[in-house]
Amino acid sequence: MHPSRPFSSGAFRFAFLLASCFALGSMGLLLTVNHLIEQYITEELTDGVETETDILKGEQSELGQAELVHAIERHARAVRDTSFRYLLLDGKRQALTGSLPVSSGVSGWHRITVTAHDEQGDHSVSLLAKGTSLSNGWLLVVAGDLQDSRELAWQLRRFTALAGILISLLALIGGLGVGSLFLRRLDETNRSIHRIIHGHFSERLPRFGLSPEFDDLTDNLNRMLERIEVLMEGLRQVSTDVAHDLRTPLTRLRHRLEAIRYDASPEEIEARVEGCVDQIDDIIRIFASLLRIATLENGKARANFETVDLSGLLGRLGAAFTPAIEDGGRRLTVSIAPNVEVQGDRDLIAQAVTNLLENAARHTPMGSEVKLDLLGPDHGHTTRIVIEDNGPGIPQEDRAKVFRRFFRGERSRTTPGSGLGLALVSAIVQLHEGAIELEDAAPGLRVIVSLP
C-alpha cells in the first residue's frame, strides 16, 4: 500500500478548487461593489455641487454681485456633512475669494488635486469641480471632496481581500482535515481488502462515517463479500464432499468390476455388468444434481421468471402425489388457498415441492400423515408453502446441516438418496429470494417455504 499524503488527496484538491473559485468570486464581487460605490458617491457629489452652485447663483441674483463674495465666505465657514471648496474669479481671472488655486478656474466639470494641511501633515486631496460662468463675466468654481469615496473604496477592498484570504485559508485547512480523515478511513479499508485478498473472507470493510453515500457503498460491498464468502465456503464444501462421497461408490464399483474379472462365470457377467451400469448412472445423476445446483446459485435462471399460478400448481401436485403416498401406507391432506400467484419458475417450484413431499413420504413410518398447505400472502406480501408430517422429524442439531450438499443424518443413511435433494430445494428458494425454515411439529417436522 502506498503511504497516504493529505496534500495529494482528492478531498484536499477539491477543497483547493473550491477555495480558488471562492477567491475569484470574491475578486469579481469586490470590483463590482467598488465600481457601484464610486458611481453612487460621484452622483451624490455631483448633485451636491450642482445644488451649491444654484444656491450661490440665487444669492447673487437676490443680494447682488458684491454680496456673492460674502456668501461664499459664509458657506465656506459653515459646518456641514458635505464640505465644499470655492473659487470666484473676476472677468480678468483674478481671484476674488476661495481656497482653490486659480488654476482650477475652468468652466465645466473637471477633477483637480490640491494639497491639504492637517495634523498628519500635508497630503493630496482629489476634488470634483464645476466651473460656472456668471452673468457679469465672473467664474464661480465649486468643488466637492472625492477623498471620502476613495477611502471608503479602499476600506472595502481591504476588508474583502482579507475576508477572501481568511475564508480561502479556512477552506484549505478544512480540506486538509477532511482529506486526512478520508485517507485514514481509506487506509483502514485498504488494510481490510489486503486481509481479504490473503484469504480472510470473514473480514468486512469498515464504514467511512463521513457521508451516507459512502456508508451505503460500504454496506453493499460488505453484502457482496458475505455472498462471496458463502460461495467460497460452498465451493470448498463441494470439493470436499465430492472427493469424500464419490470415493465410496467408485471404490465399490471397482471391487465389483474386479470380482467380475476374476470370479464371475460367463453366465453371471451380463447381470453383474448391468449392476455396474446402474451404479455408474447413479454417479452421473449425482454430478447432474451438482451442476443443476451450481446453475441455480449463479442466479441466471431468474431470466425465466414469470407469473406462476401457485394455487393451481400445488393443487395438481397434491392430486398427483396422493395415490403414491397412500400406496405407501401414508395419508396426504392438501389445503390450498385460492388465487395465489408468485413471480418465479414454475418447474423449479414444482421440483422443490416434489422433493419435500418425497422426503416426507420416505422418512416417515407407515400410517403417518403428511400435509401440504398453501397460505396466501400475509401483510408482508409473503406466501408460505407448508409441508408437515408426524414422523420422527429431524434432530435440532442437524437442522442447520440438512441443506448442505451430501449431508445425510443418522436416521436417513439406510434409505435411498444422495443427500442433494434438500440442497437443491435450498438453491431454488434462494433463487426466488425466499426463505426456508424447519420447525418441530411435535411430533414430526414442519417445513415452511416463504416466497415474496
Side-chain angles (χ1 to χ4, degrees):
M1 292 182 289
H2 299 288
S4 301
R5 294 186 292 274
F7 286 106
S8 61
S9 67
F12 180 79
R13 292 177 180 177
F14 183 67
F16 180 78
L17 177 62
L18 288 181
S20 300
C21 292
F22 180 80
L24 291 175
S26 299
M27 186 177 298
L29 178 63
L30 169 64
L31 295 175
T32 302
V33 172
N34 184 63
H35 172 72
L36 292 176
I37 289 178
E38 283 191 346
Q39 184 179 22
Y40 172 76
I41 292 178
T42 301
E43 290 176 354
E44 286 292 313
L45 188 58
T46 301
D47 291 342
V49 170
E50 291 273 16
T51 302
E52 185 70 8
T53 301
D54 292 341
I55 291 174
L56 290 174
K57 288 172 66 177
E59 291 186 7
Q60 179 201 18
S61 300
E62 181 179 352
L63 301 176
Q65 296 178 357
E67 289 299 322
L68 179 59
V69 175
H70 297 144
I72 291 174
E73 293 173 349
R74 187 173 63 253
H75 280 237
R77 291 194 300 270
V79 178
R80 293 177 293 184
D81 293 338
T82 302
S83 60
F84 297 101
R85 301 190 185 198
Y86 306 92
L87 176 65
L88 183 61
L89 301 177
D90 60 12
K92 298 179 180 179
R93 294 302 182 257
Q94 297 295 318
L96 298 175
T97 188
S99 59
L100 294 174
V102 176
S103 59
S104 63
V106 179
S107 296
W109 289 101
H110 57 281
R111 293 175 184 259
I112 58 176
T113 302
V114 299
T115 302
H117 309 279
D118 56 20
E119 297 176 352
Q120 299 177 352
D122 297 341
H123 59 276
S124 297
V125 176
S126 180
L127 302 174
L128 177 63
K130 180 183 180 184
T132 305
S133 297
L134 301 178
S135 56
N136 58 357
W138 291 1
L139 180 65
L140 173 63
V141 179
V142 178
D145 194 348
L146 285 170
Q147 195 63 26
D148 291 342
S149 63
R150 294 194 170 182
E151 290 182 356
L152 179 60
W154 162 249
Q155 293 292 341
L156 179 64
R157 285 196 293 269
R158 187 174 64 173
F159 173 77
T160 306
L162 290 176
I165 293 173
L166 179 61
I167 294 176
S168 298
L169 287 176
L170 289 176
L172 291 177
I173 294 172
L176 181 62
V178 173
S180 300
L181 182 60
F182 181 80
L183 286 178
R184 282 200 296 272
R185 296 286 191 274
L186 197 58
D187 284 342
E188 294 174 3
T189 301
N190 281 329
R191 284 194 290 272
S192 296
I193 293 175
H194 189 72
R195 288 190 286 271
I196 292 171
I197 291 174
H198 287 80
H200 297 274
F201 296 110
S202 60
E203 181 80 19
R204 293 293 177 268
L205 304 180
R207 303 187 80 188
F208 274 69
L210 298 177
S211 68
E213 293 83 3
F214 281 111
D215 289 340
D216 289 343
L217 175 62
T218 302
D219 293 341
N220 287 332
L221 289 174
N222 282 334
R223 281 193 285 273
M224 182 182 68
L225 289 173
E226 289 174 2
R227 178 63 177 160
I228 291 175
E229 183 184 12
V230 171
L231 293 177
M232 293 299 293
E233 175 60 23
L235 179 62
R236 186 196 62 79
Q237 178 198 335
V238 168
S239 301
T240 303
D241 291 343
V242 167
H244 180 269
D245 286 79
L246 291 184
R247 184 176 59 185
T248 300
L250 288 174
T251 302
R252 189 165 53 243
L253 178 60
R254 183 177 186 279
H255 290 165
R256 295 184 70 170
L257 291 173
E258 286 184 346
I260 292 173
R261 183 171 64 177
Y262 295 115
D263 301 332
S265 61
E267 296 77 15
E268 295 174 331
I269 288 178
E270 184 175 357
R272 290 192 179 188
V273 168
E274 188 67 27
C276 292
V277 171
D278 292 341
Q279 200 160 355
I280 291 173
D281 289 341
D282 290 340
I283 295 174
I284 292 174
R285 278 192 290 271
I286 290 175
F287 276 111
S289 297
L290 287 172
L291 289 174
R292 190 171 192 190
I293 292 173
T295 302
L296 294 174
E297 288 179 340
N298 67 25
K300 293 182 179 177
R302 289 195 182 94
N304 301 323
F305 276 16
E306 59 183 355
T307 301
V308 178
D309 176 11
L310 199 56
S311 298
L313 176 63
L314 295 193
R316 290 190 292 273
L317 283 176
F321 266 84
T322 297
I325 290 180
E326 289 180 351
D327 289 346
R330 302 167 184 84
R331 188 163 63 92
L332 175 64
T333 58
V334 180
S335 174
I336 304 296
N339 304 321
V340 178
E341 295 181 340
V342 296
Q343 288 295 315
D345 186 299
R346 181 191 311 273
D347 294 337
L348 292 178
I349 294 175
Q351 179 68 66
V353 175
T354 298
N355 284 11
L356 293 173
L357 287 174
E358 287 178 348
N359 270 3
R362 183 181 302 150
H363 299 294
T364 54
M366 294 184 62
S368 299
E369 181 179 5
V370 179
K371 297 179 181 177
L372 169 62
D373 295 334
L374 172 62
L375 307 178
D378 56 16
H379 296 297
H381 306 289
T382 298
T383 298
R384 291 186 298 169
I385 303 171
V386 181
I387 295 95
E388 180 179 329
D389 64 66
N390 57 357
I394 297 177
Q396 181 68 38
E397 62 272 17
D398 288 345
R399 290 179 189 173
K401 306 175 185 175
V402 295
F403 297 111
R404 292 167 46 182
R405 296 172 178 84
F406 298 112
F407 178 82
R408 307 194 70 191
E410 289 296 329
R411 296 174 182 171
S412 60
R413 290 188 182 278
T414 56
T415 59
S418 61
L420 293 173
L422 289 180
L424 181 61
V425 172
S426 177
I428 293 173
V429 173
Q430 289 181 17
L431 178 71
H432 288 77
E433 298 181 346
I436 184 168
E437 302 172 80
L438 301 182
E439 294 181 353
D440 189 351
L445 179 69
R446 182 182 299 114
V447 182
I448 303 174
V449 176
S450 301
L451 298 176

